[in-house]
Amino acid sequence: MLTNTSRKIFLSIFLVALAALAPLQTAAADFKREVIYQIITDRFFDGSTSNNNPSQSSGLYDSTKTNWRAYWGGDLAGIQQKMSYLAGLGVTAIWISPPVDNLNTNIPDGNGNPTAPYHGYQGRDFKRVEEHFGNTSNTWTDFDNLVTAAHSNGIKVIIDFAPNHTTQDNAGEFGAFYDNGTFVGNYTNDTNGYFHHNGNISNWDDRYQVQYYALFDLSDLNQEHATVDGYLKAAAQLFQQHGVDGFRIDAVKHVTWGWEYSLANSIYTNGDSFLFGEWYQGNTSDPLYHDSYKFANRSGISLLDFPLNAAIRNVFASNANFSDIDTVISTEGNNFTWKEDLVTFIDNHDMSRFLSANNNQNRLHEALAFILTARGIPCIYYGTEQYLHNDTSGGTDPYNRPMMNSFSTSTTAYTLTSRLSTLRRSNPAVPYGSMSQRWINSDVYIYERKFYGSVVLVAINKNETTAYNITGLNTSLPAGTYSDYLTALLGGSSITVSSGTGGNNPVTAFSLPAHTVAVWQFTESSATPQVGSIGPTAAQPGVKVTIGGRNFGATQGSGSVKFGTTTATIVSWSDTQIVATTPSVSNGSYNVTVTKNGGAVSNGIQFTALTAKLIPVTFTVYNASPTQVGDYIFLTGNTVELGNWATTWDGAVGPMLAPNYPNWFINASVPAGQTIQFKFIKIASNGSVTWEAGANHTYTVPTTGTGFVNVNWQY
Ligand code: NOJ
Ligand code: NOJ
């Protein structure tokens, strides 16, 4: 018999040994080296039959899997059981359906068939786990087991988090929501104002409507209410306590934008995380495209790359010219500060699967190789590696969510993903490098990723029958012969590079066969510290920040991290990742640098030091300066959160919203407990700026909850 103490000692030795065996767990705030896999939990694998038809929501399960809008049995235990399959695929993060307790009642469709929130987007209790995914008592056991299994396989866990709404507002449970089992409120008898009651969005380009109207009859939460604000932030933090590494934020375009900055800040203040949001848009000419990149550049929430997704589908599925992709890459490259954090994808649960759009596996392989090597963090929709698709009604929702029907580890797509995931970890040009086009025609795209001296050159020929002779190609790869990193998996062969000048080394002419992808790479051996990533990109003093890159040295020694000229306290240090605490610097923009033991200093990377933790405050200005179509009122003020008196579209806070013209309002996240100074300005369509007169307004931001401030425009 072991005594209690010896049992504890034995256990801790065992745990230390386990930790040594487990893959290195890197910080989530440096996500660029990850490969994400998107799972619709209900449709992946049924790991436990005990939760298939729980009593509190019985009748929503279809064992025949013929009602596409019912639960089919997939669950968290099922994902856990497939962890080694995922690890072998090269997946290093899973994004799972919203796991929170969802609507229990059946809302029949037009033909009287049951419909169920098998997708997870009708949350009723954000602090409990859905009974179809976990257990019939809605506890955390299965969720915790999944997270533990994922982490011990080197896989991070991202949950889909939907703060925009609860359940449907006109049927079922009428938006009722609960705080760990205690009723909070509902949509129909909303005496506390927890919801917006403005009807459904009809104009998807109207900034007020998209944020303050309902998304398809879903009860639209009012995040400016302190109870709702506190509830959602506490729920996100609860998931962090349960080990979650990141959040895919549902419908970010439809949640109050300013409030989301404070959501991100509360998550980052609580712990290491990576956040990306769903901002649906068809292309970079979308009327709200500018709002989308301003949001990504300032909120700390990266975005799913919808414009690139559309171009990928145009080019690979619909055979458009490669210039479609090249144009999006360069446009977004100019607009997004953190473009390498954009999450790229071929398809998802809201559009037809690639093979439904074009049942051509060569093209799917080409698209897959593209997202795995282009800039951005690749996200693969479950089943892509098994060529899963159902083409009913064109294969759109719900037919894009079939049950996973095969777990083969020998498909070409499986091997391809695994191989390129390895490259992302070994060559820093993939996660951190610039992306430039080196050779293009309608069928061929040759692009280069480059991070200091490390280079990856990728050539794709999407033509099904024609080989192209590639002449006049230049690269930054050093002179030498390079074999295809994919070892001819997609038809590639080797190239020879000779010395040129100015980073343009000529590649000996070669033939690129039909439907081929080739990857050539060089990882420089250098001792200089090179910084490629920082996350979060904005935080107040005291919050941990992760710096990713290489050659930092295995140990800190005399090394340091500086924010401008101020040295930060180090939390952890490895050759490729450092965690430091944001020092007490005044608010503003800083270059963060790594000095390695021995004195070599890295490049600087941009970071915003916030003044304090963020509180969402709704600013209203009555009777503002007269405006004409195209003119907008903005908010500006004396801290970095308020733009430091900036007077530009990108620098100031806004544009503000005017549902009750000429009164304008905006919700903005501002530093807790600070007395801020601010003013309103008009930015006319031609860019000219009109300040309101008089002294600056002042306001003391509350230290918790939400705030409201109303003033008259000063003439
Ligand atoms: C976007 C999600 O991706 C979609 O599947 C869902 O129905 C809506 N948001 C509402 O949550
Ligand atoms: C310049 C503006 O002209 C003025 O109105 C404003 O009060 C200050 N910036 C901020 O101190």
Side-chain angles (χ1 to χ4, degrees):
M1 271 289 282
L2 290 172
T3 64
N4 238 349
T5 326
S6 63
R7 196 180 287 136
K8 268 185 202 147
I9 292 171
F10 176 77
L11 189 70
S12 51
I13 292 171
F14 176 72
L15 288 176
V16 168
L18 253 189
L21 284 176
L24 180 69
Q25 204 57 53
T26 55
D30 170 19
F31 222 80
K32 299 176 184 64
R33 280 177 283 197
E34 312 295 350
V35 172
I36 306 174
Y37 187 81
Q38 182 196 352
I39 295 176
I40 301 297
T41 303
D42 182 60
R43 303 293 161 89
F44 193 63
F45 191 65
D46 187 354
S48 159
T49 53
S50 65
N51 57 10
N52 282 355
N53 196 12
S55 58
Q56 65 267 52
S57 50
S58 67
L60 301 183
Y61 169 66
D62 176 16
S63 64
T64 68
K65 301 184 177 53
T66 50
N67 177 349
W68 285 75
R69 293 188 170 84
Y71 284 100
W72 285 1
D75 49 26
L76 299 169
I79 301 172
Q80 186 186 333
Q81 289 168 29
K82 294 298 178 189
M83 213 45 82
S84 63
Y85 168 84
L86 295 171
L89 178 58
V91 163
T92 64
I94 51 174
W95 148 21
I96 62 172
S97 307
V100 299
D101 184 19
N102 260 246
L103 176 75
N104 287 342
T105 57
N106 168 25
I107 304 177
D109 69 12
N111 301 320
N113 296 316
T115 70
Y118 70 90
H119 41 67
Y121 294 110
Q122 291 214 48
R124 67 193 292 281
D125 192 334
F126 287 51
K127 295 188 181 174
R128 289 191 174 182
V129 176
E130 165 57 32
E131 62 271 12
H132 288 87
F133 299 158
N135 60 45
T136 52
S137 315
N138 301 99
T139 72
W140 289 83
T141 313
D142 289 47
F143 188 87
D144 293 340
N145 290 342
L146 169 66
V147 171
T148 303
H151 287 173
S152 64
N153 279 278
I155 295 178
K156 295 183 165 63
V157 177
I158 299 165
I159 63 155
D160 202 322
F161 189 71
N164 180 64
H165 54 264
T166 61
T167 67
Q168 205 170 310
D169 60 21
N170 55 3
E173 299 183 36
F174 298 92
F177 69 112
Y178 299 80
D179 187 331
N180 191 20
T182 304
F183 176 77
V184 186
N186 69 17
Y187 184 82
T188 28
N189 185 23
D190 186 21
T191 48
N192 290 309
Y194 296 147
F195 295 96
H196 300 134
H197 297 263
N198 298 321
N200 280 333
I201 301 167
S202 55
N203 180 351
W204 297 84
D205 300 333
D206 179 302
R207 293 185 183 89
Y208 180 64
Q209 283 202 22
V210 296
Q211 296 174 73
Y212 289 89
Y213 284 33
L215 191 59
F216 313 120
D217 295 314
L218 293 163
S219 302
D220 200 56
L221 284 166
N222 171 13
Q223 292 83 10
E224 283 144 287
H225 193 294
T227 301
V228 175
D229 167 74
Y231 173 76
L232 293 170
K233 287 173 181 165
Q237 293 190 8
L238 186 57
F239 275 95
Q240 287 184 287
Q241 280 160 34
H242 284 273
V244 150
D245 304 286
F247 296 84
R248 179 266 189 186
I249 304 184
D250 185 57
V252 278
K253 182 177 165 180
H254 303 294
V255 182
T256 303
W257 301 343
W259 177 80
E260 291 179 296
Y261 290 43
S262 74
L263 172 68
N265 178 252
S266 82
I267 291 172
Y268 292 132
T269 301
N270 188 43
D272 173 47
S273 198
F274 177 71
L275 273 59
F276 61 100
E278 179 211 22
W279 186 301
Y280 178 79
Q281 53 193 346
N283 51 56
T284 58
S285 307
D286 185 280
L288 298 182
Y289 171 69
H290 194 162
D291 300 75
S292 80
Y293 69 77
K294 181 173 181 179
F295 178 86
N297 291 346
R298 294 171 63 130
S299 67
I301 303 175
S302 188
L303 295 180
L304 282 154
D305 195 341
F306 277 90
L308 185 62
N309 167 260
I312 288 170
R313 295 172 71 91
N314 288 343
V315 169
F316 293 106
S318 308
N319 205 29
N321 192 311
F322 260 121
S323 62
D324 278 21
I325 285 180
D326 197 50
T327 304
V328 175
I329 292 284
S330 65
T331 303
E332 291 189 331
N334 290 332
N335 298 145
F336 284 87
T337 311
W338 316 105
K339 45 197 163 285
E340 295 84 15
D341 281 330
L342 289 169
V343 177
T344 57
F345 58 104
I346 299 168
D347 49 19
N348 70 19
H349 60 306
D350 292 325
M351 60 184 72
S352 61
R353 284 176 177 267
F354 184 94
L355 292 177
S356 291
N358 182 354
N359 193 12
N360 178 333
Q361 293 186 5
N362 291 332
R363 287 291 177 80
L364 180 67
H365 294 147
E366 291 154 16
L368 194 53
F370 176 75
I371 62 166
L372 286 161
T373 54
R375 70 99 182 93
I377 302 166
C379 179
I380 300 167
Y381 190 36
Y382 80 97
T384 300
E385 73 284 11
Q386 303 298 339
Y387 312 107
L388 182 68
H389 64 113
N390 178 300
D391 303 337
T392 310
S393 297
T396 53
D397 171 11
Y399 305 103
N400 53 4
R401 306 163 184 187
M403 199 75 197
M404 186 76 170
N405 60 359
S406 160
F407 290 89
S408 164
T409 56
S410 59
T411 69
T412 299
Y414 190 96
T415 308
L416 175 68
T417 305
S418 159
R419 189 93 180 108
L420 290 176
S421 172
T422 303
L423 181 63
R424 179 167 287 264
R425 292 268 163 148
S426 68
N427 189 321
V430 183
Y432 305 134
S434 59
M435 175 155 170
S436 45
Q437 183 256 105
R438 286 291 197 167
W439 207 102
I440 189 166
N441 70 21
S442 61
D443 287 332
V444 174
Y445 194 37
I446 304 182
Y447 54 94
E448 187 168 275
R449 308 293 315 282
K450 185 171 187 299
F451 185 66
Y452 295 91
S454 296
V455 178
V456 174
L457 184 69
V458 181
I460 306 177
N461 176 5
K462 71 176 166 68
N463 193 294
E464 281 292 297
T465 50
T466 307
Y468 283 92
N469 194 32
I470 309 298
T471 58
L473 172 66
N474 289 316
T475 179
S476 309
L477 287 167
T481 297
Y482 296 86
S483 58
D484 174 26
Y485 185 82
L486 296 176
T487 56
L489 182 70
L490 300 182
S493 51
S494 50
I495 52 168
T496 302
V497 177
S498 53
S499 294
T501 51
N504 289 318
N505 294 337
V507 179
T508 307
F510 65 101
S511 172
L512 191 62
H515 57 76
T516 289
V517 179
V519 177
W520 305 284
Q521 66 98 26
F522 173 77
T523 308
E524 74 169 340
S525 60
S526 153
T528 313
Q530 301 167 346
V531 172
S533 174
I534 191 161
T537 52
Q540 68 275 23
V543 174
K544 288 177 193 152
V545 168
T546 301
I547 297 147
R550 66 196 291 254
N551 306 329
F552 300 154
T555 55
Q556 182 184 356
S558 66
S560 63
V561 168
K562 292 197 179 69
F563 288 61
T565 54
T566 307
T567 302
T569 304
I570 302 300
V571 179
S572 67
W573 187 295
S574 78
D575 193 47
T576 54
Q577 195 173 77
I578 298 170
V579 180
T581 304
T582 308
S584 297
V585 289
S586 47
N587 71 86
S589 185
Y590 290 85
N591 252 338
V592 175
T593 53
V594 173
T595 303
K596 168 178 191 172
N597 185 28
V601 183
S602 74
N603 58 306
I605 192 161
Q606 191 190 322
F607 173 80
T608 302
L610 301 174
T611 315
K613 99 173 177 181
L614 299 182
I615 298 287
V617 171
T618 307
F619 294 81
T620 302
V621 57
Y622 298 115
N623 196 22
S625 172
T627 53
Q628 295 176 347
V629 176
D631 300 351
Y632 290 100
I633 305 297
F634 283 73
L635 164 69
T636 187
N638 71 334
T639 70
V640 73
E641 295 82 1
L642 291 162
N644 276 325
W645 298 117
T647 57
T648 59
W649 219 95
D650 287 285
V653 179
M656 297 177 72
L657 310 172
N660 299 308
Y661 186 88
N663 306 328
W664 295 71
F665 86 99
I666 194 162
N667 183 262
S669 286
V670 287
Q674 303 288 308
T675 299
I676 54 172
Q677 297 188 33
F678 62 96
K679 266 194 170 179
F680 298 95
I681 55 175
K682 174 169 82 178
I683 304 181
S685 54
N686 66 7
S688 73
V689 173
T690 308
W691 284 85
E692 61 169 327
N696 298 334
H697 303 286
T698 63
Y699 173 69
T700 300
V701 180
T703 52
T704 58
T706 62
F708 294 87
V709 49
N710 306 322
V711 300
N712 294 311
W713 178 280
Q714 300 172 150
Y715 283 94

